[in-house]
């Protein structure tokens, strides 16, 4: 059984009082937290301990009170967020590996040959989805594929930033701009050296081919810098790079320029567009398919024609609406092929509006084999090569229509 606290304190006081009586009246007392001790004896004890514990030359003297390194508040917040993110990524990775293992068991596939493409194909087979938006469909991917990259710490343990442009709020963006200015100065110096040597123009065959690429857009620049970029800063980025490319000797920094460019979405390579086929008589033709709502169409475009249009073995009057006729003729007008090609279209399903949209898409796709790259780009920008996925919205249960509600009556 434990003794009461008061009894322990009283016994300690009596013990110290007996020691005081033995040492004599010259002893000074200092009482702190209910504990009595002699100042003179403690000083003497500390002196003796110091003499006995004096380090030798071989042993380094230890500091009494080592300075504790303080962590800034910003670093504490960052470390906490980084630890939370690391835990989350580890849990998601474990879930991904577990799901992949279950999927391999279901499909009966060897683990060594099961790639991410096989995972996507298996999910599409096991969980078919009619949702058009791919991001809304079920997927199984590692967390690095769909979680954005984490911005690394930009300051030290003492709170001081690493980057010299930290207080601009966009250090990575302004670092890129500074690098571009450095390349412009280097190209300018090289140009002056070549002029001094008597070379007024760059040698032949040194020009860069940038037709198939374009500058990084705002989203790509934000991914590169992990910073928020507005339109004004993005325009400055493009203008500065344009001034670099305009230099006659800019080919010496070609690798740096291509690092900030990407393949243009509207660029069509020659192998991507099939050349027109030829019949027995040598007449070129091309076939393509078009879709719109529930209508499906097959369009055959004949070269060296006279402008004849056949839709289900009828002429253009197959569509009673002038708007539908204009939809069909728009690709021919944009590609400057009016009166130069013949069209044979077979369409089924849907109404007049859907059939006209299907013919327009199939006709535009078939005309790619008879046009040049500039016309292809114009057709792409006009939206002729993009399938219109809009459909009639379904009626909702408990409602009169897709959006319309039943009339509310008080009685």
């Amino acid at each position: 059984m434990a003794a009461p606290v008061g009894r322990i304190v009283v016994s300690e006081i009596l013990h110290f009082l007996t020691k005081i009586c033995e040492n004599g009246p010259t002893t000074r007392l200092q009482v702190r937290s209910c504990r009595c001790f002699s100042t003179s004896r403690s000083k003497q004890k500390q002196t003796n301990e110091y003499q006995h514990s004096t380090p030798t030359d071989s042993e380094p003297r230890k500091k009494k009170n080592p300075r504790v390194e303080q962590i800034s508040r910003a670093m504490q917040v960052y470390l906490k967020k980084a630890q939370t993110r690391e835990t989350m990524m580890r849990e998601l990775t474990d879930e991904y590996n577990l799901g992949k293992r279950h999927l391999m068991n279901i499909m009966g596939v060897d683990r060594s040959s099961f790639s991410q493409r096989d995972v996507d194909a298996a999910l599409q087979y096991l969980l078919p989805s009619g949702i058009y938006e791919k991001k809304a469909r079920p997927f199984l991917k590692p967390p690095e594929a769909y979680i954005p990259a984490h911005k690394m710490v930009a300051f030290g343990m003492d709170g001081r930033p690493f980057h010299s442009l930290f207080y601009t709020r966009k250090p990575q963006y302004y670092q890129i701009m500074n690098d571009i200015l450095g390349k412009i100065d280097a190209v300018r110096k090289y140009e002056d050296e070549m002029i001094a040597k008597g070379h007024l123009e760059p040698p032949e065959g040194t020009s860069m081919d940038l037709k198939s690429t374009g500058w990084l857009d705002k989203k790509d620049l934000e991914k590169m810098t992990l910073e928020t970029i507005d339109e004004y800063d993005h325009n400055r980025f493009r203008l500065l790079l344009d001034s670099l490319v305009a230099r006659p000797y800019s080919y010496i920094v070609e690798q740096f320029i291509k690092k900030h460019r990407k393949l243009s979405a509207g660029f069509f390579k020659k192998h991507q567009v099939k050349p027109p086929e030829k019949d027995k008589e040598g007449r070129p033709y091309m076939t393509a398919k078009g879709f719109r709502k529930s209508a499906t169409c097959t369009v055959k475009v004949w070269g060296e024609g006279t402008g004849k249009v056949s839709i289900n073995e009828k002429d253009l009057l197959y569509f009673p609406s002038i708007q539908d006729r204009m939809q069909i003729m728009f690709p021919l007008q944009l590609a400057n092929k009016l009166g130069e090609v013949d069209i044979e279209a077979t369409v089924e399903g849907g109404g007049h509006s859907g059939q006209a949209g299907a013919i327009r898409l199939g006709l535009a796709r078939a005309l790619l084999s008879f046009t040049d790259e500039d016309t292809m780009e114009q057709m792409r920008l006009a939206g002729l090569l993009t399938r219109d996925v809009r459909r009639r919205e379904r009626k909702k249960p408990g409602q009169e229509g897709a959006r319309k509600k039943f009339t509310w009556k008080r009685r």
Side-chain angles (χ1 to χ4, degrees), residues 169-185:
R169 299 180 63 183
K170 299 176 184 178
Q172 301 299 329
Y173 168 76
Y174 285 107
Q175 182 63 48
I176 293 175
M177 300 291 283
N178 190 25
D179 294 341
I180 298 173
L181 286 174
K183 297 298 181 181
I184 291 176
D185 292 339

PDB file of all heavy atoms in Angstrom, residues 169-185:
ATOM      1  N   ARG A 169       6.063  35.253 -56.394  1.00  0.00           N
ATOM      2  CA  ARG A 169       4.873  34.394 -56.311  1.00  0.00           C
ATOM      3  C   ARG A 169       4.780  33.404 -57.469  1.00  0.00           C
ATOM      4  O   ARG A 169       3.960  32.501 -57.442  1.00  0.00           O
ATOM      5  CB  ARG A 169       3.580  35.226 -56.248  1.00  0.00           C
ATOM      6  CG  ARG A 169       3.506  36.151 -55.047  1.00  0.00           C
ATOM      7  CD  ARG A 169       2.222  36.922 -55.043  1.00  0.00           C
ATOM      8  NE  ARG A 169       1.060  36.057 -54.922  1.00  0.00           N
ATOM      9  CZ  ARG A 169      -0.198  36.497 -54.962  1.00  0.00           C
ATOM     10  NH1 ARG A 169      -0.442  37.782 -55.113  1.00  0.00           N
ATOM     11  NH2 ARG A 169      -1.197  35.644 -54.844  1.00  0.00           N
ATOM     12  N   LYS A 170       5.624  33.578 -58.502  1.00  0.00           N
ATOM     13  CA  LYS A 170       5.684  32.633 -59.618  1.00  0.00           C
ATOM     14  C   LYS A 170       7.151  32.413 -59.983  1.00  0.00           C
ATOM     15  O   LYS A 170       7.606  32.805 -61.055  1.00  0.00           O
ATOM     16  CB  LYS A 170       4.919  33.174 -60.827  1.00  0.00           C
ATOM     17  CG  LYS A 170       3.428  33.402 -60.571  1.00  0.00           C
ATOM     18  CD  LYS A 170       2.761  34.023 -61.775  1.00  0.00           C
ATOM     19  CE  LYS A 170       1.305  34.340 -61.487  1.00  0.00           C
ATOM     20  NZ  LYS A 170       0.640  34.992 -62.639  1.00  0.00           N
ATOM     21  N   PRO A 171       7.914  31.811 -59.091  1.00  0.00           N
ATOM     22  CA  PRO A 171       9.367  31.705 -59.356  1.00  0.00           C
ATOM     23  C   PRO A 171       9.709  30.855 -60.565  1.00  0.00           C
ATOM     24  O   PRO A 171      10.617  31.192 -61.324  1.00  0.00           O
ATOM     25  CB  PRO A 171       9.907  31.091 -58.051  1.00  0.00           C
ATOM     26  CG  PRO A 171       8.740  30.406 -57.427  1.00  0.00           C
ATOM     27  CD  PRO A 171       7.543  31.211 -57.803  1.00  0.00           C
ATOM     28  N   GLN A 172       8.989  29.756 -60.781  1.00  0.00           N
ATOM     29  CA  GLN A 172       9.312  28.892 -61.910  1.00  0.00           C
ATOM     30  C   GLN A 172       8.991  29.567 -63.242  1.00  0.00           C
ATOM     31  O   GLN A 172       9.742  29.442 -64.217  1.00  0.00           O
ATOM     32  CB  GLN A 172       8.530  27.566 -61.799  1.00  0.00           C
ATOM     33  CG  GLN A 172       8.827  26.799 -60.516  1.00  0.00           C
ATOM     34  CD  GLN A 172      10.282  26.415 -60.396  1.00  0.00           C
ATOM     35  OE1 GLN A 172      10.962  26.186 -61.401  1.00  0.00           O
ATOM     36  NE2 GLN A 172      10.772  26.333 -59.172  1.00  0.00           N
ATOM     37  N   TYR A 173       7.873  30.295 -63.285  1.00  0.00           N
ATOM     38  CA  TYR A 173       7.505  31.006 -64.514  1.00  0.00           C
ATOM     39  C   TYR A 173       8.549  32.065 -64.863  1.00  0.00           C
ATOM     40  O   TYR A 173       9.017  32.150 -66.008  1.00  0.00           O
ATOM     41  CB  TYR A 173       6.129  31.641 -64.348  1.00  0.00           C
ATOM     42  CG  TYR A 173       5.773  32.637 -65.423  1.00  0.00           C
ATOM     43  CD1 TYR A 173       5.392  32.238 -66.698  1.00  0.00           C
ATOM     44  CD2 TYR A 173       5.843  34.008 -65.163  1.00  0.00           C
ATOM     45  CE1 TYR A 173       5.087  33.151 -67.680  1.00  0.00           C
ATOM     46  CE2 TYR A 173       5.523  34.936 -66.138  1.00  0.00           C
ATOM     47  CZ  TYR A 173       5.147  34.512 -67.394  1.00  0.00           C
ATOM     48  OH  TYR A 173       4.848  35.437 -68.363  1.00  0.00           O
ATOM     49  N   TYR A 174       8.921  32.872 -63.869  1.00  0.00           N
ATOM     50  CA  TYR A 174       9.898  33.933 -64.137  1.00  0.00           C
ATOM     51  C   TYR A 174      11.299  33.357 -64.382  1.00  0.00           C
ATOM     52  O   TYR A 174      12.117  33.999 -65.045  1.00  0.00           O
ATOM     53  CB  TYR A 174       9.910  34.923 -62.982  1.00  0.00           C
ATOM     54  CG  TYR A 174       8.708  35.839 -62.982  1.00  0.00           C
ATOM     55  CD1 TYR A 174       7.701  35.682 -62.050  1.00  0.00           C
ATOM     56  CD2 TYR A 174       8.557  36.830 -63.945  1.00  0.00           C
ATOM     57  CE1 TYR A 174       6.582  36.509 -62.051  1.00  0.00           C
ATOM     58  CE2 TYR A 174       7.454  37.657 -63.968  1.00  0.00           C
ATOM     59  CZ  TYR A 174       6.466  37.488 -63.015  1.00  0.00           C
ATOM     60  OH  TYR A 174       5.356  38.310 -63.029  1.00  0.00           O
ATOM     61  N   GLN A 175      11.584  32.168 -63.868  1.00  0.00           N
ATOM     62  CA  GLN A 175      12.851  31.527 -64.191  1.00  0.00           C
ATOM     63  C   GLN A 175      12.894  31.141 -65.664  1.00  0.00           C
ATOM     64  O   GLN A 175      13.920  31.289 -66.339  1.00  0.00           O
ATOM     65  CB  GLN A 175      13.032  30.295 -63.306  1.00  0.00           C
ATOM     66  CG  GLN A 175      14.345  29.569 -63.507  1.00  0.00           C
ATOM     67  CD  GLN A 175      15.539  30.434 -63.146  1.00  0.00           C
ATOM     68  OE1 GLN A 175      15.556  31.052 -62.083  1.00  0.00           O
ATOM     69  NE2 GLN A 175      16.533  30.484 -64.024  1.00  0.00           N
ATOM     70  N   ILE A 176      11.755  30.624 -66.189  1.00  0.00           N
ATOM     71  CA  ILE A 176      11.687  30.297 -67.623  1.00  0.00           C
ATOM     72  C   ILE A 176      11.843  31.554 -68.471  1.00  0.00           C
ATOM     73  O   ILE A 176      12.573  31.552 -69.474  1.00  0.00           O
ATOM     74  CB  ILE A 176      10.357  29.593 -67.929  1.00  0.00           C
ATOM     75  CG1 ILE A 176      10.314  28.220 -67.266  1.00  0.00           C
ATOM     76  CG2 ILE A 176      10.162  29.445 -69.441  1.00  0.00           C
ATOM     77  CD1 ILE A 176       8.995  27.512 -67.426  1.00  0.00           C
ATOM     78  N   MET A 177      11.173  32.634 -68.079  1.00  0.00           N
ATOM     79  CA  MET A 177      11.309  33.889 -68.820  1.00  0.00           C
ATOM     80  C   MET A 177      12.751  34.399 -68.784  1.00  0.00           C
ATOM     81  O   MET A 177      13.271  34.909 -69.791  1.00  0.00           O
ATOM     82  CB  MET A 177      10.359  34.930 -68.229  1.00  0.00           C
ATOM     83  CG  MET A 177       8.884  34.546 -68.275  1.00  0.00           C
ATOM     84  SD  MET A 177       8.215  34.518 -69.945  1.00  0.00           S
ATOM     85  CE  MET A 177       8.004  36.273 -70.228  1.00  0.00           C
ATOM     86  N   ASN A 178      13.402  34.252 -67.650  1.00  0.00           N
ATOM     87  CA  ASN A 178      14.801  34.675 -67.542  1.00  0.00           C
ATOM     88  C   ASN A 178      15.705  33.818 -68.420  1.00  0.00           C
ATOM     89  O   ASN A 178      16.651  34.324 -69.050  1.00  0.00           O
ATOM     90  CB  ASN A 178      15.235  34.576 -66.077  1.00  0.00           C
ATOM     91  CG  ASN A 178      16.594  35.216 -65.836  1.00  0.00           C
ATOM     92  OD1 ASN A 178      17.009  36.102 -66.575  1.00  0.00           O
ATOM     93  ND2 ASN A 178      17.287  34.759 -64.810  1.00  0.00           N
ATOM     94  N   ASP A 179      15.405  32.496 -68.499  1.00  0.00           N
ATOM     95  CA  ASP A 179      16.197  31.619 -69.364  1.00  0.00           C
ATOM     96  C   ASP A 179      16.017  31.992 -70.839  1.00  0.00           C
ATOM     97  O   ASP A 179      16.976  31.940 -71.620  1.00  0.00           O
ATOM     98  CB  ASP A 179      15.786  30.171 -69.142  1.00  0.00           C
ATOM     99  CG  ASP A 179      16.132  29.682 -67.739  1.00  0.00           C
ATOM    100  OD1 ASP A 179      16.979  30.326 -67.093  1.00  0.00           O
ATOM    101  OD2 ASP A 179      15.536  28.678 -67.292  1.00  0.00           O
ATOM    102  N   ILE A 180      14.784  32.352 -71.220  1.00  0.00           N
ATOM    103  CA  ILE A 180      14.548  32.757 -72.616  1.00  0.00           C
ATOM    104  C   ILE A 180      15.343  34.013 -72.950  1.00  0.00           C
ATOM    105  O   ILE A 180      15.955  34.119 -74.026  1.00  0.00           O
ATOM    106  CB  ILE A 180      13.048  32.981 -72.858  1.00  0.00           C
ATOM    107  CG1 ILE A 180      12.275  31.672 -72.641  1.00  0.00           C
ATOM    108  CG2 ILE A 180      12.800  33.487 -74.274  1.00  0.00           C
ATOM    109  CD1 ILE A 180      10.784  31.836 -72.695  1.00  0.00           C
ATOM    110  N   LEU A 181      15.365  34.981 -72.039  1.00  0.00           N
ATOM    111  CA  LEU A 181      16.149  36.196 -72.275  1.00  0.00           C
ATOM    112  C   LEU A 181      17.636  35.875 -72.376  1.00  0.00           C
ATOM    113  O   LEU A 181      18.358  36.472 -73.189  1.00  0.00           O
ATOM    114  CB  LEU A 181      15.901  37.185 -71.136  1.00  0.00           C
ATOM    115  CG  LEU A 181      14.553  37.907 -71.141  1.00  0.00           C
ATOM    116  CD1 LEU A 181      14.389  38.741 -69.884  1.00  0.00           C
ATOM    117  CD2 LEU A 181      14.423  38.789 -72.374  1.00  0.00           C
ATOM    118  N   GLY A 182      18.089  34.918 -71.565  1.00  0.00           N
ATOM    119  CA  GLY A 182      19.490  34.510 -71.667  1.00  0.00           C
ATOM    120  C   GLY A 182      19.812  33.891 -73.017  1.00  0.00           C
ATOM    121  O   GLY A 182      20.883  34.149 -73.594  1.00  0.00           O
ATOM    122  N   LYS A 183      18.889  33.078 -73.552  1.00  0.00           N
ATOM    123  CA  LYS A 183      19.109  32.489 -74.875  1.00  0.00           C
ATOM    124  C   LYS A 183      19.087  33.555 -75.974  1.00  0.00           C
ATOM    125  O   LYS A 183      19.843  33.465 -76.946  1.00  0.00           O
ATOM    126  CB  LYS A 183      18.028  31.446 -75.156  1.00  0.00           C
ATOM    127  CG  LYS A 183      18.042  30.261 -74.199  1.00  0.00           C
ATOM    128  CD  LYS A 183      19.344  29.488 -74.296  1.00  0.00           C
ATOM    129  CE  LYS A 183      19.346  28.300 -73.348  1.00  0.00           C
ATOM    130  NZ  LYS A 183      20.632  27.541 -73.397  1.00  0.00           N
ATOM    131  N   ILE A 184      18.229  34.561 -75.828  1.00  0.00           N
ATOM    132  CA  ILE A 184      18.192  35.648 -76.823  1.00  0.00           C
ATOM    133  C   ILE A 184      19.517  36.394 -76.830  1.00  0.00           C
ATOM    134  O   ILE A 184      20.067  36.718 -77.903  1.00  0.00           O
ATOM    135  CB  ILE A 184      17.023  36.598 -76.518  1.00  0.00           C
ATOM    136  CG1 ILE A 184      15.683  35.887 -76.778  1.00  0.00           C
ATOM    137  CG2 ILE A 184      17.118  37.853 -77.371  1.00  0.00           C
ATOM    138  CD1 ILE A 184      14.475  36.723 -76.414  1.00  0.00           C
ATOM    139  N   ASP A 185      20.068  36.658 -75.651  1.00  0.00           N
ATOM    140  CA  ASP A 185      21.371  37.336 -75.586  1.00  0.00           C
ATOM    141  C   ASP A 185      22.474  36.466 -76.193  1.00  0.00           C
ATOM    142  O   ASP A 185      23.370  36.979 -76.887  1.00  0.00           O
ATOM    143  CB  ASP A 185      21.702  37.662 -74.132  1.00  0.00           C
ATOM    144  CG  ASP A 185      20.776  38.721 -73.556  1.00  0.00           C
ATOM    145  OD1 ASP A 185      20.164  39.464 -74.356  1.00  0.00           O
ATOM    146  OD2 ASP A 185      20.640  38.796 -72.317  1.00  0.00           O
TER     147      ASP A 185
END
